[in-house]
Amino acid sequence: MHVFLETAVETLMRHGRRKISCIGFGAVSSPIGNSDFSRIVASKGGITDDSWMIGDLHPNTTGSGYSLMREIWTTGRIKPDGLVLCDDIFIEDATLAIRELGIKSPEQLLVVTYRNKGERLHAPFPVIELQYDAIPLSAQIASNIALMLSGKPQKPLVSDPVLVDPFAEDLESLPSAPVALHVDKLKVS
């Protein structure tokens, strides 16, 4: 998640966005999740606000992206100009709220979303995507479960995210080398 958040924030910054909000598990409604996201944003030269970092609704909850987007936009006088969606399930509901609130995207709010490679993104305006291939990642997780069950140490999960930026002249792959994902050790009961 850390790599995703850093890449999403860096991408928004490259597009001149400095006031960054976050919906989803990267902005877990806990001091630890919020401070991690705040630290990432600050390290890149941006600002955020506690009211712009929300993740208290599960993405599978009907209307969660809609509710969370409305909460971010209607709280406070200052509005964010960049939004990180940490789960692609949020996108349809969040875009509905963006349109209903009359927010011009990308002019007023530029959106970066996580997306599983091969899944179709439904958005009425251009959205920057950070795509992950779930199949090799799933194989690595299964391998780690087998290692854990046999008492052997787990290996770091590695994924090659691909940045799909409709505002860039070319699609670019980020980063050029595989990225180690930091995932808590799996627990089996």
Side-chain angles (χ1 to χ4, degrees):
M1 178 48 56
H2 192 76
V3 171
F4 166 75
L5 291 174
E6 281 194 357
T7 305
V9 170
E10 286 170 0
T11 301
L12 288 167
M13 298 300 229
R14 275 197 313 267
H15 284 284
R17 306 312 165 109
R18 298 290 179 260
K19 300 177 290 185
I20 313 298
S21 58
C22 183
I23 292 177
F25 53 84
V28 176
S29 56
S30 73
I32 294 169
N34 287 352
S35 66
D36 285 348
F37 183 73
S38 294
R39 201 172 18 260
I40 291 169
V41 172
S43 74
K44 307 297 180 193
I47 62 167
T48 193
D49 185 84
D50 286 342
S51 66
W52 298 347
M53 298 179 287
I54 52 178
D56 54 347
L57 293 176
H58 193 279
N60 285 333
T61 304
T62 303
S64 60
Y66 179 89
S67 297
L68 296 171
M69 183 62 227
R70 284 190 62 82
E71 184 176 334
I72 285 175
W73 200 257
T74 59
T75 303
R77 269 185 337 106
I78 299 173
K79 307 296 183 207
D81 59 8
L83 171 64
V84 176
L85 293 174
C86 295
D87 196 309
D88 50 355
I89 297 174
F90 288 122
I91 191 73
E92 286 189 60
D93 290 341
T95 57
L96 180 62
I98 290 167
R99 292 192 64 157
E100 185 179 285
L101 290 164
I103 304 166
K104 292 180 176 70
S105 184
E107 298 84 6
Q108 289 178 289
L109 184 71
L110 183 59
V111 178
V112 175
T113 188
Y114 171 97
R115 186 163 79 83
N116 288 320
K117 184 178 175 184
E119 294 294 317
R120 186 157 184 242
L121 181 72
H122 301 282
F125 46 79
V127 173
I128 298 171
E129 303 171 32
L130 195 53
Q131 297 180 359
Y132 286 85
D133 194 339
I135 295 171
L137 192 56
S138 298
Q140 292 174 59
I141 291 169
S143 175
N144 272 348
I145 291 171
L147 289 170
M148 183 183 65
L149 292 174
S150 65
K152 297 178 183 170
Q154 298 176 42
K155 296 179 182 176
L157 299 177
V158 178
S159 182
D160 293 315
V162 175
L163 181 68
V164 179
D165 187 342
F167 305 102
E169 291 190 10
D170 300 305
L171 297 180
E172 57 186 86
S173 200
L174 288 180
S176 57
V179 174
L181 298 177
H182 302 284
V183 178
D184 292 333
K185 291 191 177 216
L186 300 171
K187 296 177 185 168
V188 177
S189 38

PDB file of all heavy atoms in Angstrom, residues 7 16 21 39 41 60 72 80 82 105 107 112 135 146-147 171 181 186 188:
ATOM      1  N   THR A   7       3.342   6.559  -5.079  1.00  0.00           N
ATOM      2  CA  THR A   7       3.252   6.755  -6.523  1.00  0.00           C
ATOM      3  C   THR A   7       2.055   7.624  -6.880  1.00  0.00           C
ATOM      4  O   THR A   7       2.151   8.517  -7.727  1.00  0.00           O
ATOM      5  CB  THR A   7       3.169   5.399  -7.251  1.00  0.00           C
ATOM      6  OG1 THR A   7       4.286   4.600  -6.860  1.00  0.00           O
ATOM      7  CG2 THR A   7       3.175   5.582  -8.761  1.00  0.00           C
ATOM      8  N   GLY A  16       0.730  19.149 -10.737  1.00  0.00           N
ATOM      9  CA  GLY A  16       0.541  20.437 -10.075  1.00  0.00           C
ATOM     10  C   GLY A  16      -0.455  20.443  -8.941  1.00  0.00           C
ATOM     11  O   GLY A  16      -0.858  21.506  -8.463  1.00  0.00           O
ATOM     12  N   SER A  21      -6.316  14.474  -1.111  1.00  0.00           N
ATOM     13  CA  SER A  21      -7.268  13.728  -0.277  1.00  0.00           C
ATOM     14  C   SER A  21      -7.140  12.237  -0.600  1.00  0.00           C
ATOM     15  O   SER A  21      -6.566  11.863  -1.620  1.00  0.00           O
ATOM     16  CB  SER A  21      -8.690  14.226  -0.536  1.00  0.00           C
ATOM     17  OG  SER A  21      -9.033  14.087  -1.895  1.00  0.00           O
ATOM     18  N   ARG A  39       2.291  11.930   6.187  1.00  0.00           N
ATOM     19  CA  ARG A  39       3.747  11.941   6.046  1.00  0.00           C
ATOM     20  C   ARG A  39       4.148  11.824   4.570  1.00  0.00           C
ATOM     21  O   ARG A  39       5.052  12.515   4.111  1.00  0.00           O
ATOM     22  CB  ARG A  39       4.345  10.811   6.876  1.00  0.00           C
ATOM     23  CG  ARG A  39       5.787  10.982   7.217  1.00  0.00           C
ATOM     24  CD  ARG A  39       6.346   9.962   8.213  1.00  0.00           C
ATOM     25  NE  ARG A  39       5.615   8.736   8.446  1.00  0.00           N
ATOM     26  CZ  ARG A  39       4.815   8.520   9.496  1.00  0.00           C
ATOM     27  NH1 ARG A  39       4.606   9.451  10.390  1.00  0.00           N
ATOM     28  NH2 ARG A  39       4.199   7.357   9.634  1.00  0.00           N
ATOM     29  N   VAL A  41       2.334  12.662   1.901  1.00  0.00           N
ATOM     30  CA  VAL A  41       1.961  13.902   1.219  1.00  0.00           C
ATOM     31  C   VAL A  41       2.952  15.014   1.553  1.00  0.00           C
ATOM     32  O   VAL A  41       3.446  15.716   0.665  1.00  0.00           O
ATOM     33  CB  VAL A  41       0.509  14.318   1.563  1.00  0.00           C
ATOM     34  CG1 VAL A  41       0.192  15.700   1.018  1.00  0.00           C
ATOM     35  CG2 VAL A  41      -0.486  13.296   1.008  1.00  0.00           C
ATOM     36  N   ASN A  60     -17.015  -2.419  -0.551  1.00  0.00           N
ATOM     37  CA  ASN A  60     -18.159  -3.218  -1.011  1.00  0.00           C
ATOM     38  C   ASN A  60     -19.493  -2.741  -0.452  1.00  0.00           C
ATOM     39  O   ASN A  60     -20.538  -3.241  -0.851  1.00  0.00           O
ATOM     40  CB  ASN A  60     -17.965  -4.693  -0.649  1.00  0.00           C
ATOM     41  CG  ASN A  60     -16.952  -5.358  -1.549  1.00  0.00           C
ATOM     42  OD1 ASN A  60     -16.754  -4.948  -2.687  1.00  0.00           O
ATOM     43  ND2 ASN A  60     -16.285  -6.365  -1.034  1.00  0.00           N
ATOM     44  N   ILE A  72     -15.815  14.323   2.031  1.00  0.00           N
ATOM     45  CA  ILE A  72     -14.583  15.087   1.789  1.00  0.00           C
ATOM     46  C   ILE A  72     -14.907  16.473   1.235  1.00  0.00           C
ATOM     47  O   ILE A  72     -14.379  17.480   1.687  1.00  0.00           O
ATOM     48  CB  ILE A  72     -13.647  14.332   0.815  1.00  0.00           C
ATOM     49  CG1 ILE A  72     -12.981  13.170   1.535  1.00  0.00           C
ATOM     50  CG2 ILE A  72     -12.592  15.271   0.222  1.00  0.00           C
ATOM     51  CD1 ILE A  72     -12.139  12.282   0.635  1.00  0.00           C
ATOM     52  N   PRO A  80      -9.790  19.917  -1.610  1.00  0.00           N
ATOM     53  CA  PRO A  80      -8.616  19.280  -2.209  1.00  0.00           C
ATOM     54  C   PRO A  80      -8.628  19.453  -3.730  1.00  0.00           C
ATOM     55  O   PRO A  80      -9.683  19.671  -4.321  1.00  0.00           O
ATOM     56  CB  PRO A  80      -8.780  17.812  -1.820  1.00  0.00           C
ATOM     57  CG  PRO A  80     -10.240  17.626  -1.618  1.00  0.00           C
ATOM     58  CD  PRO A  80     -10.760  18.938  -1.113  1.00  0.00           C
ATOM     59  N   GLY A  82      -6.629  17.092  -5.491  1.00  0.00           N
ATOM     60  CA  GLY A  82      -6.225  15.757  -5.905  1.00  0.00           C
ATOM     61  C   GLY A  82      -6.889  14.729  -5.009  1.00  0.00           C
ATOM     62  O   GLY A  82      -7.078  14.963  -3.815  1.00  0.00           O
ATOM     63  N   SER A 105     -13.843  17.751 -13.187  1.00  0.00           N
ATOM     64  CA  SER A 105     -12.665  16.898 -13.169  1.00  0.00           C
ATOM     65  C   SER A 105     -12.163  16.745 -14.595  1.00  0.00           C
ATOM     66  O   SER A 105     -12.955  16.446 -15.491  1.00  0.00           O
ATOM     67  CB  SER A 105     -12.996  15.522 -12.595  1.00  0.00           C
ATOM     68  OG  SER A 105     -11.837  14.746 -12.493  1.00  0.00           O
ATOM     69  N   GLU A 107     -10.217  19.598 -13.951  1.00  0.00           N
ATOM     70  CA  GLU A 107      -9.868  20.991 -13.654  1.00  0.00           C
ATOM     71  C   GLU A 107      -9.809  21.286 -12.154  1.00  0.00           C
ATOM     72  O   GLU A 107      -8.823  21.858 -11.676  1.00  0.00           O
ATOM     73  CB  GLU A 107     -10.864  21.955 -14.327  1.00  0.00           C
ATOM     74  CG  GLU A 107     -10.892  21.881 -15.831  1.00  0.00           C
ATOM     75  CD  GLU A 107     -11.788  20.766 -16.375  1.00  0.00           C
ATOM     76  OE1 GLU A 107     -12.495  20.108 -15.572  1.00  0.00           O
ATOM     77  OE2 GLU A 107     -11.772  20.548 -17.590  1.00  0.00           O
ATOM     78  N   VAL A 112      -6.704   9.804  -8.970  1.00  0.00           N
ATOM     79  CA  VAL A 112      -5.827   8.653  -9.211  1.00  0.00           C
ATOM     80  C   VAL A 112      -6.472   7.486  -8.489  1.00  0.00           C
ATOM     81  O   VAL A 112      -6.840   7.592  -7.320  1.00  0.00           O
ATOM     82  CB  VAL A 112      -4.399   8.869  -8.652  1.00  0.00           C
ATOM     83  CG1 VAL A 112      -3.566   7.598  -8.807  1.00  0.00           C
ATOM     84  CG2 VAL A 112      -3.717  10.028  -9.331  1.00  0.00           C
ATOM     85  N   ILE A 135      -2.947 -11.659 -10.613  1.00  0.00           N
ATOM     86  CA  ILE A 135      -2.644 -13.088 -10.757  1.00  0.00           C
ATOM     87  C   ILE A 135      -1.258 -13.443 -10.210  1.00  0.00           C
ATOM     88  O   ILE A 135      -1.143 -14.320  -9.356  1.00  0.00           O
ATOM     89  CB  ILE A 135      -2.837 -13.543 -12.219  1.00  0.00           C
ATOM     90  CG1 ILE A 135      -4.329 -13.417 -12.576  1.00  0.00           C
ATOM     91  CG2 ILE A 135      -2.328 -14.969 -12.431  1.00  0.00           C
ATOM     92  CD1 ILE A 135      -4.655 -13.620 -14.030  1.00  0.00           C
ATOM     93  N   ALA A 146       2.076 -21.377   1.943  1.00  0.00           N
ATOM     94  CA  ALA A 146       2.717 -22.695   2.004  1.00  0.00           C
ATOM     95  C   ALA A 146       4.009 -22.626   2.818  1.00  0.00           C
ATOM     96  O   ALA A 146       4.283 -23.519   3.636  1.00  0.00           O
ATOM     97  CB  ALA A 146       3.003 -23.210   0.593  1.00  0.00           C
ATOM     98  N   LEU A 147       4.803 -21.573   2.625  1.00  0.00           N
ATOM     99  CA  LEU A 147       6.037 -21.407   3.399  1.00  0.00           C
ATOM    100  C   LEU A 147       5.726 -21.267   4.887  1.00  0.00           C
ATOM    101  O   LEU A 147       6.385 -21.882   5.728  1.00  0.00           O
ATOM    102  CB  LEU A 147       6.813 -20.171   2.914  1.00  0.00           C
ATOM    103  CG  LEU A 147       7.481 -20.285   1.549  1.00  0.00           C
ATOM    104  CD1 LEU A 147       8.005 -18.930   1.100  1.00  0.00           C
ATOM    105  CD2 LEU A 147       8.606 -21.322   1.585  1.00  0.00           C
ATOM    106  N   LEU A 171       2.159   6.251 -22.213  1.00  0.00           N
ATOM    107  CA  LEU A 171       1.965   5.447 -21.001  1.00  0.00           C
ATOM    108  C   LEU A 171       3.352   5.156 -20.463  1.00  0.00           C
ATOM    109  O   LEU A 171       4.269   4.881 -21.200  1.00  0.00           O
ATOM    110  CB  LEU A 171       1.262   4.127 -21.341  1.00  0.00           C
ATOM    111  CG  LEU A 171      -0.140   4.245 -21.909  1.00  0.00           C
ATOM    112  CD1 LEU A 171      -0.690   2.864 -22.192  1.00  0.00           C
ATOM    113  CD2 LEU A 171      -1.044   4.984 -20.959  1.00  0.00           C
ATOM    114  N   LEU A 181       6.197  -5.012  -1.980  1.00  0.00           N
ATOM    115  CA  LEU A 181       5.038  -4.532  -1.244  1.00  0.00           C
ATOM    116  C   LEU A 181       5.206  -4.894   0.215  1.00  0.00           C
ATOM    117  O   LEU A 181       5.624  -6.001   0.543  1.00  0.00           O
ATOM    118  CB  LEU A 181       3.748  -5.162  -1.776  1.00  0.00           C
ATOM    119  CG  LEU A 181       3.410  -4.847  -3.227  1.00  0.00           C
ATOM    120  CD1 LEU A 181       2.149  -5.613  -3.608  1.00  0.00           C
ATOM    121  CD2 LEU A 181       3.202  -3.376  -3.418  1.00  0.00           C
ATOM    122  N   LEU A 186       1.044 -13.006   7.160  1.00  0.00           N
ATOM    123  CA  LEU A 186      -0.249 -13.691   7.095  1.00  0.00           C
ATOM    124  C   LEU A 186      -0.459 -14.479   8.379  1.00  0.00           C
ATOM    125  O   LEU A 186       0.472 -15.071   8.913  1.00  0.00           O
ATOM    126  CB  LEU A 186      -0.270 -14.634   5.897  1.00  0.00           C
ATOM    127  CG  LEU A 186      -0.072 -13.957   4.543  1.00  0.00           C
ATOM    128  CD1 LEU A 186       0.108 -15.017   3.474  1.00  0.00           C
ATOM    129  CD2 LEU A 186      -1.251 -13.084   4.212  1.00  0.00           C
ATOM    130  N   VAL A 188      -2.805 -17.486  10.195  1.00  0.00           N
ATOM    131  CA  VAL A 188      -3.752 -18.579   9.985  1.00  0.00           C
ATOM    132  C   VAL A 188      -4.217 -19.054  11.363  1.00  0.00           C
ATOM    133  O   VAL A 188      -3.407 -19.265  12.256  1.00  0.00           O
ATOM    134  CB  VAL A 188      -3.083 -19.746   9.226  1.00  0.00           C
ATOM    135  CG1 VAL A 188      -4.051 -20.897   9.086  1.00  0.00           C
ATOM    136  CG2 VAL A 188      -2.596 -19.291   7.879  1.00  0.00           C
TER     137      VAL A 188
END
